[in-house]
Amino acid sequence: MMTCIIIEDQPPAQRILQRFIRDIGTLELKGTYPDATAAIDQLKAESIDLVFLDIHLPKISGIEFLKILTNRPSIILTTAFSEYAVESYELNVVDYLLKPFSFERFVQAVSKVQEQSTDNKKVADRAKVDGEVFIKSGYDHIKVVIPDIHYIKSDADYTEIHLNDKKHISSEPLRFWADYLDSNQFIRIHKSFIVNTSKIEKISGNRIQLVSGEALPLGRAYKEQFSKKFLN
């Protein structure tokens, strides 16, 4: 059973989601919050699989919350406004529920999360042997030596795995790699980048210089966590 929380400021919408969660039978609701900042402590204290996140919220919008949230769960956005759909998918949300939505549409969105979780587990179980992983790239599965990875870049619905002298396209989203790779060696430095810390040559302000000569952005939302972990 997957755990979930609701971040929604309107009581009627809260009640609909709560009822749908009860009715689907495969979700365990851990909390309902009227704004995103109220949910931060629970997300830090407990592993949550799925967040139902409204976009228009007090204090901080759902979109802005996504941009600063690190090691985030799967996200299903809920909103009455369709104009945010493109931006939301750029932030790797699983689905976008346009209010008012039916129970059938709700089930469809949750099923996407469950399918994605199963696919991710299959990739991890299938391939992680002695520092190697087979990544799914189109119809192929390509062996990658994990220590050879310099960085991983998110690009819309896929990721680029950059190695010593080549790159591969993976169909897995960036959040899969954030969960899968060793967090003592690989860390998210930007909403679009994970870096192998052993490949870092120097840090200059908000730029990370790699031994390959490439420079990656160090996002403001990730800088504090990066500094605490690696610059003490």
Side-chain angles (χ1 to χ4, degrees):
M1 183 171 289
M2 292 193 302
T3 58
C4 66
I5 64 171
I6 297 167
I7 305 178
E8 166 64 65
D9 65 325
Q10 297 297 319
Q14 291 176 358
R15 289 192 291 270
I16 289 171
L17 282 167
Q18 289 165 350
R19 186 176 77 247
F20 284 179
I21 289 168
R22 287 195 303 269
D23 290 348
I24 199 171
T26 57
L27 296 175
E28 179 184 0
L29 181 61
K30 290 289 191 174
T32 300
Y33 301 92
D35 63 77
T37 58
I40 290 176
D41 286 343
Q42 177 154 5
L43 288 172
K44 288 181 178 179
E46 185 176 3
S47 178
I48 299 296
D49 298 313
L50 171 61
V51 177
F52 295 96
L53 177 65
D54 189 19
I55 290 180
H56 285 271
L57 293 167
K59 299 183 181 178
I60 180 173
S61 74
I63 295 292
E64 289 303 314
F65 182 63
L66 278 179
K67 291 178 180 178
I68 65 172
L69 187 61
T70 59
N71 298 321
R72 72 187 191 203
S74 297
I75 304 290
I76 294 177
L77 286 179
T78 60
T79 180
F81 303 91
S82 61
E83 61 265 29
Y84 297 97
V86 173
E87 184 177 8
S88 70
Y89 283 117
E90 289 176 351
L91 292 169
N92 291 323
V93 304
V94 177
D95 209 343
Y96 187 97
L97 292 177
L98 192 60
K99 301 174 183 176
F101 49 86
S102 65
F103 180 66
E104 288 74 18
R105 181 67 183 86
F106 173 85
V107 170
Q108 182 183 34
V110 173
S111 295
K112 288 183 181 180
V113 179
Q114 294 167 330
E115 289 168 6
Q116 188 176 83
S117 176
T118 299
D119 289 344
N120 289 351
K121 187 176 185 303
K122 285 179 179 178
V123 170
D125 290 345
R126 180 181 65 239
K128 193 174 184 181
V129 179
D130 296 329
E132 298 175 349
V133 62
F134 282 85
I135 65 169
K136 184 179 180 182
S137 182
Y139 294 104
D140 299 323
H141 290 87
I142 302 169
K143 185 172 75 173
V144 169
V145 178
I146 291 174
D148 288 347
I149 297 173
H150 284 230
Y151 64 94
I152 302 173
K153 179 183 178 181
S154 175
D155 195 341
D157 294 329
Y158 58 90
T159 45
E160 298 175 359
I161 313 298
H162 290 255
L163 303 156
N164 294 330
D165 57 356
K166 67 183 74 173
K167 74 175 180 181
H168 296 299
I169 304 300
S170 168
S171 56
E172 306 294 349
L174 196 65
R175 63 176 170 270
F176 167 79
W177 296 111
D179 292 337
Y180 178 72
L181 294 169
D182 183 356
S183 61
N184 291 316
Q185 183 176 4
F186 291 87
I187 188 168
R188 195 161 184 172
I189 57 168
H190 185 273
K191 67 180 181 180
S192 300
F193 290 92
I194 292 172
V195 69
N196 181 348
T197 57
S198 71
K199 305 297 184 181
I200 295 175
E201 184 172 79
K202 65 179 179 179
I203 298 101
S204 301
N206 293 325
R207 306 292 290 178
I208 291 178
Q209 181 93 21
L210 302 185
V211 293
S212 64
E214 294 179 273
L216 305 180
L218 178 56
R220 183 174 58 183
Y222 301 87
K223 189 171 184 177
E224 182 179 356
Q225 180 188 17
F226 177 85
S227 298
K228 285 181 179 179
K229 194 163 186 177
F230 295 103
L231 301 182
N232 289 334

